[in-house]
Amino acid sequence: MLKKTCSSITFSVVLSTVSLSTTNATGMEKVEDIYYDNEWGTETKNFDDYKIVGNIQANQGTLNVILQKGGVIQGSITSDQGSWSTKNGTNNIIFKKSDIEPQGQKNQILGDISLLKGINYITMEGKNEIFGNIKVENFGYRARNSLLLKGESSQLGKNDKKINLSSKSGSGTEPRFNYLKLSSTTNTLYIDKIEAYFTPIPNYPPKSSSIIISLDGDNNTAIISMLKASGNYAVNAIGKNILTTTMMDNSTAKDLKTDDGFITNPLDSKYQVMGTLTFDNANQDTIIVKSGGKNLIAYQNIDITGNINANAGQNYINTEKISLAGSINASLGGKNYIVINNNANKENDKSSTATQKTNNLSIQLMSANNGHNYIGKGILSGSGADLNNTTSSMTFTNDTNAFEGVLQV
């Protein structure tokens, strides 16, 4: 004779929020999933203790989740996933600093931060870790992820499990983007692919697709396999203070906005991130632009193992020290700008020996098929120089523009 054991299930409903908690046969409580679905409504879930929750999803309306002493989100953070519907919601999630001993527990997001449509605002303070992918897809009139991480330390991905960042756009009434501002003292990134795509759709107005990463701490280490921007309105940007907030200590992810100065002048050395950026994709394209896309990189130290490829797009690399083992290719009007030791405009320069660093470029192949490759020191004149007129400020007959180091082709 078979005996069937059923779990006890408790439903609690507040307004349009359905909270489902399940107790299994052993009496152990599973984590809570938080959903909200009210087009014009707002719901707030306030947790006073360190809290572990499952998935968070606002299909419509605004869902506020406040973790007063930090916590863990084990599942995904998303909005409505139906491609047949225009409804979308806003998740506003705030992790406050944990005061639990020893030394405070970590704030963690283990699942993906993913949007087909809608908005995610995520603010984390303390020791922060995100181990899921961060992406926006191409559907609906808006999809925006805005993340502000501050406090002692922040980490994206793991050395043995890198994450992906992606943004896709083609139409809509608003730009689609991932904004990440890491202002913790120490920031560490393990990322496999960063990809921004724009695909035009006939009879629809174009809207930009961008991934903006602002690393503002004193110690910033990033390891990336591939950076790719494809399409006229696709942009990837990595720099210092390129995302700003309207407030200081009490700022949240809702306050993030771009510093347009970096978008128009990415070779200004004041935007260089303190620390080391490593691109590791041997014998493969690692920094890629296609069909009008742009990659903007400003970092103090850059190590590249892999190829730089500009196919009808622009790569801008602004650094104090660079090592390269790979090829540099420009075609179909593509341009690669590599500015080395450009510290004339740097604010609060912490590296007094910047101009004495040794650069090593071991270039397997350098090609320009109806394209341009520029490599030099201080080849952009003035902090107000226009990207569209960059070539006019380059004087290659002047040896003061020669970078210091070894070039091997």
Side-chain angles (χ1 to χ4, degrees), residues 205-253:
K207 292 298 176 181
S208 63
S209 171
S210 59
I211 301 174
I212 312 294
I213 303 174
S214 186
L215 298 172
D216 309 335
D218 294 334
N219 303 290
N220 304 281
T221 301
I223 299 174
I224 302 171
S225 299
M226 187 182 77
L227 180 72
K228 183 177 183 179
S230 179
N232 279 328
Y233 296 87
V235 177
N236 293 312
I238 303 173
K240 178 182 179 180
N241 292 326
I242 60 176
L243 289 171
T244 61
T245 58
T246 55
M247 303 174 66
M248 295 299 291
D249 293 340
N250 295 322
S251 60
T252 69

Side-chain angles (χ1 to χ4, degrees), residues 5-23:
T5 302
C6 298
S7 301
S8 62
I9 300 176
T10 302
F11 293 91
S12 61
V13 181
V14 179
L15 294 177
S16 296
T17 301
V18 179
S19 174
L20 173 63
S21 61
T22 304
T23 304

Side-chain angles (χ1 to χ4, degrees), residues 5-168:
T5 302
C6 298
S7 301
S8 62
I9 300 176
T10 302
F11 293 91
S12 61
V13 181
V14 179
L15 294 177
S16 296
T17 301
V18 179
S19 174
L20 173 63
S21 61
T22 304
T23 304
N24 60 25
T26 63
M28 294 180 63
E29 185 176 347
K30 295 182 179 180
V31 297
E32 176 185 9
D33 291 332
I34 304 173
Y35 296 102
Y36 189 64
D37 195 345
N38 185 339
E39 183 175 3
W40 306 111
T42 299
E43 173 73 0
T44 298
K45 301 281 287 185
N46 200 335
F47 299 101
D48 292 329
D49 298 319
Y50 188 84
K51 181 69 176 178
I52 299 175
V53 301
N55 300 300
I56 295 178
Q57 181 171 340
N59 287 335
Q60 295 185 102
T62 299
L63 174 60
N64 300 311
V65 178
I66 304 172
L67 304 166
Q68 295 287 356
K69 294 187 177 181
V72 178
I73 298 176
Q74 292 185 340
S76 63
I77 302 171
T78 188
S79 181
D80 184 76
Q81 297 296 298
S83 60
W84 60 89
S85 169
T86 59
K87 72 178 185 178
N88 65 93
T90 297
N91 295 302
N92 179 33
I93 303 169
I94 298 176
F95 293 79
K96 295 192 177 181
K97 184 177 181 180
S98 172
D99 58 0
I100 299 175
E101 296 296 336
Q103 303 302 316
Q105 295 201 38
K106 294 179 179 179
N107 295 319
Q108 293 183 322
I109 299 175
L110 307 184
D112 288 351
I113 301 168
S114 176
L115 288 174
L116 187 65
K117 51 197 172 174
I119 299 175
N120 285 324
Y121 295 120
I122 300 173
T123 305
M124 306 176 79
E125 182 174 2
K127 297 179 180 179
N128 313 305
E129 295 179 338
I130 297 177
F131 297 138
N133 300 315
I134 303 171
K135 55 187 180 180
V136 295
E137 301 293 340
N138 184 22
F139 183 83
Y141 73 95
R142 67 179 182 183
R144 290 180 270 170
N145 287 316
S146 291
L147 284 71
L148 173 60
L149 281 61
K150 51 188 178 179
E152 182 178 342
S153 64
S154 294
Q155 179 174 327
L156 305 183
K158 300 178 182 179
N159 188 36
D160 59 349
K161 190 179 180 182
K162 297 180 176 66
I163 67 171
N164 295 307
L165 277 62
S166 64
S167 175
K168 298 178 182 179

Side-chain angles (χ1 to χ4, degrees), residues 1 3 39 58 78 114 128 133 153 180 184 196 201 219 252 262 268 273 284 375 377 380 388:
M1 180 176 177
K3 183 179 180 181
E39 183 175 3
T78 188
S114 176
N128 313 305
N133 300 315
S153 64
L180 291 84
S184 300
I201 298 177
N219 303 290
T252 69
F262 181 67
D268 191 329
V273 175
Q284 303 292 326
I375 304 173
K377 180 178 75 172
L380 185 67
N388 296 322

